[in-house]
Amino acid sequence: MHPEPVSMLGLGAMGTALAGAFLRAGHPTTVWNRTPARAHDLISDGAIAVTTPVEAVAASRLAVICLLDAPAVGAVLDTIGDGLRASTIVNLTSSTPEEARALSARVIASGARYLDGKIMVPTSLVGTDGGFFLYSGDSAVFAEHEVTLRSLGGDANLLGDDPGQSALYDLGMLGIFFNGMASFLHAAALVGADGVPARTFLPYAERILAVLRTSLPGLAIGVDTGKHPGAEDNLDMELAALDHIVRTSEARHIDTTVPAVPRGLAKAAIDAGHGRDSFSRVIDLLRQSGR
Ligand SMILES: NC(=O)c1ccc[n+]([C@@H]2O[C@H](COP(=O)([O-])OP(=O)(O)OC[C@H]3O[C@@H](n4cnc5c(N)ncnc54)[C@H](OP(=O)(O)O)[C@@H]3O)[C@@H](O)[C@H]2O)c1
């Protein structure tokens, strides 16, 4: 079977990588970008450039969008208008779940089909076995175009029918990522204050990440069951460790914002009478503070 034609709307750093992956996989690829000059290299690689979004969605049954944000996608959809009818849109633009749901409803109301997707890797991994994508929305679109979507990276996950779900997972994962980066930098400042270079500390940071990984299943069970037995570890003990981190940071004039977060959560759970529970008890506080 020949690779199906695909249109790529948006040729920023990521859109260019996506279009390049389609081309390398042999898909006839039509490209559009607000600033046309960004298509030059792709044209040399065999892409066909068009000057309007309407032409782009008309050129292929499958149109993939990757722009800066959801308002940019909305602005481009505005220019397509009725031209959207009967097309299939896969939107790989980062967004909130609410924005993804609103874009899905809007596209469907125009008579088109919508699959939301989130890109979980940098441009360098697009089109490789390390490519990792989350999809949600119209599962028939995923099934029909799965081979094409896998040209972007082998790890393509369909989460469900809710178009907001890929954004939800994306943001949950990114939260872990950014908190992890901030934690590593805090640790680097802490050990660095006593003369330890970050690169010397790095293997030890990697070891504790492996330990964290083994702790996550227990946390997940606690969250899902509402049971937080503290036989193996408990918040009273953990608060003492968190106090050590904060006090050692203060003694070295290191900002305590990062360790103050888990410390504050542990302390609040203890103050609520849960000192003998495991750390997963903190979920109660996190849920309440959002109300
Ligand atoms: N880069 C990454 O490593 C990475 C990783 C994961 C996810 N993502 C996501 O991928 C998406 C694109 O990121 P990127 O790195 O490609 O960003 P980028 O290099 O800044 O490109 C932004 C793209 O959006 C277009 N755009 C912005 N506002 C527009 C508007 N109002 N109307 C039409 N086009 C508009 C730009 O067009 P012009 O060229 O005309 O300015 C350009 O094509 C984002 O949602 C980002 O979060 C990126």
Side-chain angles (χ1 to χ4, degrees), residues 37-61:
R38 292 182 93 161
H40 280 166
D41 288 351
L42 290 164
I43 293 168
S44 309
D45 292 341
I48 297 160
V50 292
T51 52
T52 63
V54 184
E55 291 170 88
V57 296
S60 319
R61 225 160 51 83

Side-chain angles (χ1 to χ4, degrees), residues 71-89:
V73 176
V76 168
L77 293 179
D78 281 345
T79 70
I80 300 175
D82 280 349
L84 214 50
R85 193 173 302 133
S87 59
T88 295
I89 301 294

Side-chain angles (χ1 to χ4, degrees), residues 102-120:
L103 284 170
S104 173
R106 177 188 173 162
V107 167
I108 291 167
S110 311
R113 300 191 302 163
Y114 183 92
L115 181 69
D116 202 83
K118 298 295 173 237
I119 306 162
M120 306 311 300

Side-chain angles (χ1 to χ4, degrees), residues 244-270:
H244 293 156
I245 303 171
V246 170
R247 287 201 337 257
T248 305
S249 301
E250 285 169 348
R252 285 155 180 76
H253 306 290
I254 304 296
D255 185 276
T256 57
T257 304
V258 174
V261 173
R263 188 201 172 278
L265 290 167
K267 176 80 168 55
I270 291 167

Side-chain angles (χ1 to χ4, degrees), residues 13-14 17 119-128 130-133 152 177:
M14 185 50 83
I119 306 162
M120 306 311 300
V121 290
T123 55
S124 56
L125 292 180
V126 170
T128 73
F132 176 31
F133 292 73
L152 301 177
F177 182 70

Side-chain angles (χ1 to χ4, degrees), residues 9-18 32-36 38 53 65-73 75-76 91-95 118-124 126 170 174:
L9 288 84
L11 300 176
M14 185 50 83
T16 299
L18 298 169
W32 170 84
N33 193 53
R34 181 180 62 178
T35 307
R38 292 182 93 161
I65 302 182
C66 186
L67 300 171
L68 181 65
D69 55 15
V73 176
V76 168
N91 177 28
L92 297 180
T93 304
S94 298
S95 70
K118 298 295 173 237
I119 306 162
M120 306 311 300
V121 290
T123 55
S124 56
V126 170
D170 176 33
L174 277 181

